[in-house]
């Protein structure tokens, strides 16, 4: 549809240019005819008809050039103003200033108008990218600063005299925990950067998705047994073509979240559903749930939502971003359906080979 509009616009502009040229030509040759007729009526001229017509034609061309020059004199300053405004805007963007808006009153039309709108759109998109970059740097600094502050504080505490062995072990365990947390943040950032690289290779292969999910559930057995969770599996035999390691990371992350945010004695269900062209994997839990507001942003980097209610409260906010990026790289989709205090269901859709 957009291409049709573009072609229609080109045709209309071409027709307008031809019409304008026709009108200017008609005006020029009409003026030439009336001028030569007036001149011949006041001066006796004995020339062949061919030469008279040639003079009319030459005078018409001269008048057409003069008319074109007059039109140019009127439009060139306006065009120069437009180009100057656009060049100034591009120079500002080159310096990192994206708070620009050309032609606020929508006075430019046609090709100039489209070009000006393109520059405005580019400035808006670059501004959004810059805001995301600043937010990302701020979030990274905050996430790293928190464990570093804890490590520095407890390391200073350990230097005090008179601490009992139990207190020393307690403080050392906190330092170890914060160091592990810092390492995990760094590792997740590296994974996310790698996934977003244009040179990321998926290395696809065929394997049994149901077998992979069974192995993940068994690997997480100590965690769900400790909380006395009831696990229900409905795994149809399914073969997919994907990067096995990456997809494993997706379901490990989702299952860990389900276990982490489900109360003791709760339940988790993992099911596979087929359609002719795709497979859906549902991981549903009876946990604390996610608010409607947080569901809209839960896959954003570092987004944690309401720390009192959402399932991302204790993490760095990168796990679900990595999950979303991996699924996206596989041309799949992921969505969440949740209610507070009633549980959550994450649905991962992958194309079938």
């Amino acid at each position: 549809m957009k291409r049709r509009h573009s072609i229609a616009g080109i045709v209309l502009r071409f027709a307008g240019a031809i019409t304008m040229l026709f009108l200017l030509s008609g005006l020029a040759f009409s003026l030439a005819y009336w001028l030569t007729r007036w001149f011949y009526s006041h001066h006796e001229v004995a020339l062949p008809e061919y030469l008279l017509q040639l003079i009319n034609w030459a005078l018409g061309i001269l008048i057409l050039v003069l008319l074109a020059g007059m039109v140019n004199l009127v439009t060139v300053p306006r065009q120069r103003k437009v180009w100057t405004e656009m060049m100034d805007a591009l120079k500002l963007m080159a310096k990192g200033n994206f708070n620009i808006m050309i032609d606020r009153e929508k006075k430019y039309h046609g090709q100039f108008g489209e070009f000006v709108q393109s520059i405005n759109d580019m400035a808006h998109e670059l501004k959004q990218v810059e805001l995301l970059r600043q937010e990302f740097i701020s979030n990274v600094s905050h996430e790293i600063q928190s464990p570093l502050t804890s490590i520095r504080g407890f390391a200073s505490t350990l230097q005090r005299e008179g601490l009992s062995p139990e207190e020393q072990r307690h403080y050392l365990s906190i330092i170890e925990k914060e160091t592990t947390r810092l390492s995990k943040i760094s590792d997740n950032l590296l994974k996310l950067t790698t996934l977003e690289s244009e040179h990321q290779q998926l290395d696809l292969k065929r394997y049994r998705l149901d077998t992979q999910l069974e192995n993940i559930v068994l690997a997480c057995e100590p965690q769900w047994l400790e909380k006395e969770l009831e696990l229900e599996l409905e795994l149809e035999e399914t073969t997919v073509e994907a990067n096995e390691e990456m997809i494993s990371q997706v379901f490990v992350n989702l299952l860990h979240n389900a276990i982490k945010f489900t109360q003791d004695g709760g339940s988790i269900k993992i099911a596979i559903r087929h359609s002719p062209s795709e497979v859906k994997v549902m991981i549903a839990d009876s946990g604390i749930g996610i608010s409607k507001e947080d569901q809209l942003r839960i896959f954003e980097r570092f987004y944690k939502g309401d720390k009192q209610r959402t399932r991302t409260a204790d993490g760095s906010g990168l796990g679900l971003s990595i999950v979303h990026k991996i699924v996206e790289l596989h041309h799949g989709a992921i969505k969440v359906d949740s209610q507070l205090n009633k549980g959550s269901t994450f649905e991962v859709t992958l194309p079938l080979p």
Side-chain angles (χ1 to χ4, degrees), residues 304-318:
K304 294 184 178 184
D306 189 333
K307 295 181 181 295
Q308 300 302 320
R309 298 183 298 171
T310 64
R311 61 177 49 226
T312 53
D314 298 330
S316 66
L318 289 172

Side-chain angles (χ1 to χ4, degrees), residues 24-34 56-58 60-61 63-64:
L24 286 176
S25 300
L27 179 61
F29 287 107
S30 296
L31 285 173
Y33 169 77
W34 291 109
N56 283 349
W57 175 80
I61 292 295
I63 294 174
L64 180 62

